[in-house]
């Protein structure tokens, strides 16, 4: 929608701005250079009166681009909060007067800094449009739940209770998953002393009785296309029929597969029938149903049992699991109680290295096990010797002795392997990628067992949710546990992280909440974490597109598909609005309504560059708005000083950095450019996964360009910044200033 | 305060730490009206007092920045700081909360310019740094405090300094006559997210926390790492300011103990492992860390981090519950007495500094809830239909780490939404 642009610039004289700066000069800059049609000053702009002054101009004068020359965009957001206009903040307080000394000889450069920020804010205002939602999807309240175990069922029941219809797609012939196989489960409420009924039958009955929940058994999703708000899932039954249904969001609760104990021949599993896994013991306990548990080998009642904890887990050995599965300590206590509750005379020993029963319930359950006479021995089992009865050889770490213990039965506490589907292309090892290439070329290649996809997403970057450590489809963020790299798809339960069934159910309630939130917000065109509420979305100028596919490949969220001709299709609701695509595009055809190559590029061009004889360099800082910009604000809050020649432009993510900004600033005569982004790598902090990594890769190529222009490489530097780098950020800027002093001003000034 | 709109379709969130903030945001972002009540002058809770999170060793303010930005952008959330719920009546779909709002003595005009702090000299014990240092009588609780508004410490009211602060303010933001207020708010559902507090280490008599300078708690150790904290980011011992390179961590200090807290506080193993990396960060190869433990509960995906710390040659693990700590009077070194149970060897180990991995207990005493709730013996709120429309989130429900607390809060938001959706349906 074409809107007639009217820029109103409002200059605050509060917080010392009026004392340190010449507001009259700022007004002239705003109107003459910034082309603001209206410009007003106020002594206390964030006061009710100041805000009213601005609102009056919006209501009566048609101002729809509001430039606020005052404090940082992060301050006074409740005051400077106007509907239906775009707001542009010239940061004169944290960005200028708080980081410059209040001395006469500094007044001139301080004023220049402020004038430039006003020009920049007006330029940004000129090139911004007010974003409107795309309308690509409406609100679809249906939630797809992949997996019908207790996590899936719980997600469905809770979402339904909130008014959202759910569809559960379950691969096997019955609901209940792994928990249904348990004789009893770890207690979930006070006093936490005894195993509880597994509760699965009641849950299944509740699901079946709920008219808001549809269940497809013996079914999988053979294709999921679309985006939040308009996912189209093909649900195929084993019998062959396929239905396509539309959903607003997805919860993946596909559970786990128990670790294959055949990989532990040292424990005689497979050789000796009385060496069983925890899951196998559950089956024996179910059979016994309160009576004596009998040995598989000869039917004798078990009179002694030993549990080997961490069997094949917490181990870097080939074929073992590196992680701890979290539930097996409590599960062994529970299973020891199966024996003790039936007959206290049965010897039960749990052989552990760390008993992990955290929380209120955990510790009480552990104490209860001890009170029932279960023996807990810290030790490491090296072998189980086959025989009429298995003999466990272990080192008792407390007594510092090697012990051979013959028992009727050995239970291996083996771990869980998440059903998380296929790794994404970038996760495959180089070897696997090579193999795929060879296969394509028709060469003979050793057949590897391919993992089946769980979701079958019709996304360019892979059929499933990307995996984090140890194959779990988790979020990488501690503060945002559900934010996977696929918008609108929330994993829950052991798919996401090792956990017991109670935790899996609780996890599912959270995932259901996220799914509901995304279904609602996608329908309104609003972005998800972290740019929550953002209505802007990427579009591209088709005529200029060269179908290079760089945007499609580099998108951290797999948001972009391709059409038959190779042009990108931007699925707005899969998009997190980071702008990595915009930064990747070599021909600069991608933009957002309020964030584009121009909204930043024109800010850069608006800066007044003194000629080389004035000895006033100019440094551009592109600062990620998530960590670097707040660090800069907080440095200012602490009155840490940095060079008066600094001009900071916040960016959504360093990944959105267009190389044209670098070349434009160099051509304009900027002497140094600093890029500040969030840490990348395995423990990435980047809120958009790899934005800063992308930027660094692009910048590494800039080095060649600089050389060809006869410019020193040190003029463009990239840094990884944490939000706590409050002392470091001014240091970085000041070091750049020193560097420029040594190597001299840019030869590109006029 | 009469302009707060609260109805039976409002969700009241009690507690503005990371759990309360998360629950409030989840509900508000699907269009529900939320009122967030926080006792302190700022939101963020105890995570704002952490230097890093385990296992990523990332910074809490990073996530807080995003959450605070979301909160500021959402008109559905009203935040009341300096506030506590003193009474709660009703049932699911129909609650009335009585909220006491203590005076901040600073109103909404505050621009956080800092002029008042510059004018004031009086200093008071700084609760944010666990009383390890002092703040000025007019202060901003910490760099990222939201609301970004100064506070006048009530202990300064009535003094000359208070007047100096008021005179320094150009925006008439200081109101020394501000009074305590009480408001009644209606709500359909309540998310109870009051979090945790560290167990009182003074009660663990054999460890000498009250007598030996160089025995401190994990939360105090954590504050030392903050460059803006009480020691300017230096790991030094209280008695003489000497660098603390030989550090002992005592796990389960106050937890898993029938004499103190019966439960396991879950986070302390990981916290000590994390803090051992602080010692290495500061002192490199001169770091000498001993962790005295019963079980290292680096559970599920945290085990990777444990394996990493185990590989550090400067960190040793001793399976022992320390029996007692005495002080070497000559140099102030704490001496730990106990038995290494792996081999049964008695020890009397001297260290520079002892850090008690102190337990967590719910911050609200179980007998003081303003409404009857099903609470277990450890003081944590159970999930029970008897609690009606009150749902526990975060550490008020169990000893949790941040990731699990946010999970819990996200789930509780859905439960609260179910209640208010029913109200909405009933009211047509």
């Amino acid at each position: 929608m074409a809107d007639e642009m009217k820029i109103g610039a409002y200059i605050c004289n509060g917080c010392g701005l009026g004392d340190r700066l010449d507001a009259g000069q700022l007004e002239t800059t705003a109107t003459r250079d910034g082309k603001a049609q209206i410009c007003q000053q106020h002594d206390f702009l964030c006061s009710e009166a100041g805000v009213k002054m601005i609102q009056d101009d919006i209501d009566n004068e048609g101002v729809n681009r509001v430039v606020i020359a005052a404090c940082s965009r992060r301050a006074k957001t409740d005051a400077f909060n106007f509907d239906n206009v775009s707001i542009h903040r010239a940061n004169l307080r944290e960005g200028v007067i708080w980081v410059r000394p209040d001395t006469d000889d500094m007044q001139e450069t301080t004023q220049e800094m402020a004038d430039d920020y006003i020009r920049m804010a007006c330029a940004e205002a000129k090139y911004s449009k007010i974003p409107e939602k795309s309308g690509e999807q409406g609100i679809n309240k249906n939630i797809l739940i992949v997996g019908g175990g207790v996590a899936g069922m719980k997600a469905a029941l809770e979402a339904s209770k909130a008014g959202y219809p759910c569809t559960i797609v379950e691969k096997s012939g019955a609901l209940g998953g792994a928990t249904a196989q348990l004789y009893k489960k770890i207690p979930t409420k006070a006093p936490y002393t005894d195993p509880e009924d597994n509760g699965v039958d009641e849950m299944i009955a509740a699901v079946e009785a709920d008219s808001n929940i549809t269940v497809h058994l013996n079914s999988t999703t053979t294709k999921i296309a679309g985006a939040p708000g308009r996912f189209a899932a093909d649900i195929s039954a084993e019998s062959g029929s396929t239905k396509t249904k539309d959903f607003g969001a997805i919860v993946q609760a596909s559970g786990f597969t128990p670790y294959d104990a055949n990989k532990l021949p040292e424990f005689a599993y497979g050789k000796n029938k009385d060496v069983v896994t925890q899951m196998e013991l559950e089956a024996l306990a179910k059979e016994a149903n309160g009576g004596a548990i009998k040995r598989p080998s000869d039917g004798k009642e078990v009179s002694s049992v030993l549990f080997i904890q961490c069997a094949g887990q917490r181990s870097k050995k080939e074929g073992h699991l590196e992680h701890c599965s979290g539930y097996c300590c409590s599960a062994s206590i529970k299973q020891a109680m199966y024996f003790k509750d039936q007959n206290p005379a049965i010897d039960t020993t749990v052989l552990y290295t760390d008993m992990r029963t955290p929380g209120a319930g955990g510790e009480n359950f552990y104490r209860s096990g001890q009170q029932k006479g279960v023996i807990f021995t810290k030790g490491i089992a090296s072998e189980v010797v086959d025989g009429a009865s298995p003999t466990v050889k272990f080192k008792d770490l407390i007594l510092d002795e090697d012990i051979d213990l013959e028992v009727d039965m050995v239970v291996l506490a083996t771990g869980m392997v998440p059903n998380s589907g296929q790794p994404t292309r970038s996760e495959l090892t180089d070897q696997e990628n090579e193999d795929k290439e060879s296969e394509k070329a028709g060469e003979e290649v050793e057949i590897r067992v391919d993992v089946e996809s769980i979701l079958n997403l019709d996304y360019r970057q892979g059929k499933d949710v990307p995996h984090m450590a140890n194959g779990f489809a988790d979020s990488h963020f501690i503060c945002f546990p559900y934010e996977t790299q696929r918008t609108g798809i929330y994993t829950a339960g052991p798919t996401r992280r090792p956990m017991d069934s109670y935790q899996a159910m609780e996890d599912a309630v959270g995932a259901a909440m996220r799914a509901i939130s995304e279904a609602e917000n996608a329908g309104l065109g609003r972005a998800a974490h972290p740019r929550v509420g953002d209505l802007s979305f990427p579009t591209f100028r088709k005529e200029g597109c060269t179908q290079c596919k760089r945007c499609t490949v580099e998108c951290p969220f797999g948001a972009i598909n391709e059409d038959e001709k190779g042009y990108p299709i931007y699925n707005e609701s899969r998009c997190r609005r980071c702008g990595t695509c915009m930064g990747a595009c070599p021909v600069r055809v991608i933009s957002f309504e309020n964030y584009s190559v121009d909204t930043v590029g024109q800010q850069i061009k608006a800066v007044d560059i003194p000629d080389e004889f004035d000895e006033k360099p100019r440094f551009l800082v592109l600062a990620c708005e998530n960590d670097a910009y707040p660090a800069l604000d907080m440095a200012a809050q602490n009155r840490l000083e940095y060079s008066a020649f600094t001009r900071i432009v916040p960016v959504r993510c360093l990944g959105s950095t267009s190389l044209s900004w670098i070349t434009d600033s160099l051509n304009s005569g900027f002497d140094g450019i600093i890029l500040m982004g969030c840490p990348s790598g395995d423990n990435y902090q980047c809120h958009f996964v790899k934005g800063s990594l992308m930027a660094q890769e692009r910048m590494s190529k800039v080095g060649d360009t600089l050389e060809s222009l006869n410019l020193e490489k040190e003029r463009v530097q990239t840094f990884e910044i944490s939000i706590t780098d409050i002392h470091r950020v001014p240091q970085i800027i000041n070091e750049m200033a020193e560097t420029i002093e040594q190597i001299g001003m840019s030869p590109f000034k006029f | 305060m009469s302009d707060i709109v609260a109805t039976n379709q409002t969700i009241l969130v009690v507690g503005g730490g990371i759990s309360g903030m998360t629950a409030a945001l989840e509900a508000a972002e699907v269009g529900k009206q939320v009122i967030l009540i926080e006792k302190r002058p700022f939101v963020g809770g105890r995570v704002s007092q952490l230097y890093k999170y385990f296992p990523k060793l990332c910074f809490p303010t990073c996530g807080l920045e995003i959450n605070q930005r979301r909160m500021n952008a959402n008109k559905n959330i009203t935040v009341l700081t300096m506030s506590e719920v003193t009474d709660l009546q009703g049932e699911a779909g129909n609650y009335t909360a009585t909220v006491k709002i203590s005076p901040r003595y600073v109103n909404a005009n505050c621009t956080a310019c800092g002029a008042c702090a510059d004018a004031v000299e009086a200093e008071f014990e700084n609760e944010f740094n666990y009383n390890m240092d002092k703040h000025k009588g007019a202060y901003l609780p910490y760099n990222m405090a939201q609301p970004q508004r100064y506070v006048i410490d009530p202990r300064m009211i009535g003094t000359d300094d208070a007047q100096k602060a008021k005179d320094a303010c150009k925006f008439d933001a200081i109101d020394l006559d501000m009074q305590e207020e009480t408001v009644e708010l209606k709500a359909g559902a309540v998310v109870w997210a009051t979090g945790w507090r560290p167990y009182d280490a003074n009660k663990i008599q054999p460890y000498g926390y009250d007598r030996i300078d160089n025995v401190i708690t994990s939360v105090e150790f954590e504050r030392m790492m903050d460059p803006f904290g009480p020691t300017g980011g230096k790991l030094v011992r209280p008695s003489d300011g000497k660098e603390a390179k030989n550090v002992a961590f005592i796990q389960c200090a106050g937890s898993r103990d029938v004499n103190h807290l019966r439960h396991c506080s879950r986070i302390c193993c990981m916290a000590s492992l994390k803090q051992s990396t602080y010692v290495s960060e500061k002192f490199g190869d001169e770091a000498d860390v001993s962790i005295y433990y019963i079980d290292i509960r680096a559970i599920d995906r945290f085990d990777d981090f444990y394996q990493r710390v185990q590989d550090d040659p400067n960190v040793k693990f001793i399976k022992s519950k320390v029996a007692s700590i005495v002080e070497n009077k000559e140099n102030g070194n704490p001496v730990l007495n106990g038995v290494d149970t792996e081999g049964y060897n008695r020890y009397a180990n001297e260290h520079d500094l002892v850090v008690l991995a102190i337990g967590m207990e719910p911050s609200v005493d179980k007998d003081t809830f303003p409404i009857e709730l099903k609470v277990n013996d450890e003081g944590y709120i159970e999930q029970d239909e008897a609690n009606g429309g009150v749902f526990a989130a975060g550490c008020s429900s169990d000893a949790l780490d941040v990731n699990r607390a946010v999970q819990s809060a996200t789930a509780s938001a859905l439960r609260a939404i179910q209640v208010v959706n029913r109200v909405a349906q009933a009211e047509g």
Side-chain angles (χ1 to χ4, degrees), chain A residues 543-556:
Chain A
E543 324 78 79
C545 173
T546 60
Q547 305 112 55
C548 72
K549 300 206 204 7
R550 218 166 287 182
C551 58
T552 324
V553 167
E554 289 192 9
C555 173

Side-chain angles (χ1 to χ4, degrees), chain A residues 522-569:
Chain A
L524 296 170
R526 296 196 201 136
H529 171 88
R531 292 193 58 87
V532 178
D534 191 349
L535 289 176
S536 72
F537 56 91
T539 53
F540 76 122
R541 239 184 350 102
K542 200 165 180 184
E543 324 78 79
C545 173
T546 60
Q547 305 112 55
C548 72
K549 300 206 204 7
R550 218 166 287 182
C551 58
T552 324
V553 167
E554 289 192 9
C555 173
F557 304 101
I560 310 174
N561 280 15
E562 285 137 47
D563 66 16
E564 334 71 61
K565 299 219 180 87
Y567 286 109
I569 303 173

Side-chain angles (χ1 to χ4, degrees), chain B residues 132 201 207-209 212-222 224 235-238 247-248 334 353-358:
Chain B
M132 290 164 84
Y207 287 169
Y209 174 76
I212 306 172
D213 283 339
N214 296 323
V215 174
I216 65 173
T217 61
S218 49
V219 294
E220 291 166 336
F221 189 73
E222 189 79 19
M224 287 208 276
L235 283 183
V236 292
R237 42 190 236 160
V247 182
L353 180 70
V354 172
V355 179
L356 304 178
I358 200 69

Side-chain angles (χ1 to χ4, degrees), chain A residues 58-254:
Chain A
I58 293 171
D59 294 338
N60 306 329
E61 303 293 332
V63 165
N64 51 26
R65 305 283 188 278
V66 177
V67 169
I68 299 192
C71 45
S72 164
R73 62 182 52 197
R74 293 169 64 253
K76 286 294 175 180
T77 50
D78 46 341
F80 299 130
N81 192 344
F82 306 101
D83 292 329
N84 302 318
V85 298
S86 66
I87 301 173
H88 309 270
R89 306 281 296 258
N91 189 349
L92 303 186
R93 188 182 73 166
E94 287 88 329
V96 180
I97 62 170
W98 278 7
V99 295
R100 296 303 306 150
D102 186 7
T103 55
D104 288 339
D105 57 333
M106 294 297 167
Q107 214 284 320
E108 188 182 284
T109 50
T110 303
Q111 182 70 32
E112 284 169 5
M113 228 177 165
D115 280 319
D116 266 342
Y117 277 126
I118 293 210
R119 292 185 190 104
M120 289 158 77
C122 291
E124 188 190 55
K126 214 166 119 194
Y127 285 86
S128 290
K129 289 208 209 39
I130 299 166
E132 280 177 15
K133 65 176 185 177
S134 73
E136 250 174 62
Q137 58 279 320
I139 297 182
N140 183 330
K141 288 186 152 180
N142 292 288
I143 313 287
L144 170 64
I145 298 176
V146 177
V150 293
M153 289 199 283
K154 186 72 165 169
L157 288 167
E158 298 296 332
S160 162
K161 243 162 95 175
Y164 294 80
C166 296
T167 299
I168 298 178
V169 176
E170 164 56 41
K171 190 163 92 163
S172 76
L175 294 171
T179 311
Q181 294 173 44
L182 303 179
Y183 172 51
K184 294 200 176 180
K185 63 178 193 209
I186 297 161
T188 60
K189 42 165 67 76
Y192 300 102
T193 48
D194 299 287
E196 273 176 16
D197 282 333
N198 76 17
V200 173
D201 288 340
E202 290 92 328
M203 220 178 179
I204 294 177
V207 166
E208 288 172 349
D210 191 328
S211 55
N212 245 349
I213 303 178
T214 311
V215 179
H216 295 268
L217 296 174
N218 295 306
S219 302
T220 56
T221 51
T222 42
K223 178 166 134 180
I224 300 179
R230 56 178 178 89
F231 283 117
D234 290 348
I235 301 169
S236 304
E238 228 173 27
S239 58
S241 66
T242 300
K243 279 195 189 46
T244 305
K245 286 171 86 166
D246 290 332
F247 298 99
I250 301 174
V251 172
Q252 179 184 338
S254 42

Side-chain angles (χ1 to χ4, degrees), chain A residues 93 158 354 363 367 378, chain B residues 111 262 293 296-297 418:
Chain A
R93 188 182 73 166
E158 298 296 332
D354 293 283
E363 202 59 25
R367 249 190 292 271
K378 180 163 179 170
Chain B
T111 63
R262 292 174 60 93
Y293 73 99
I296 296 291
R297 293 183 162 180
Q418 289 166 353

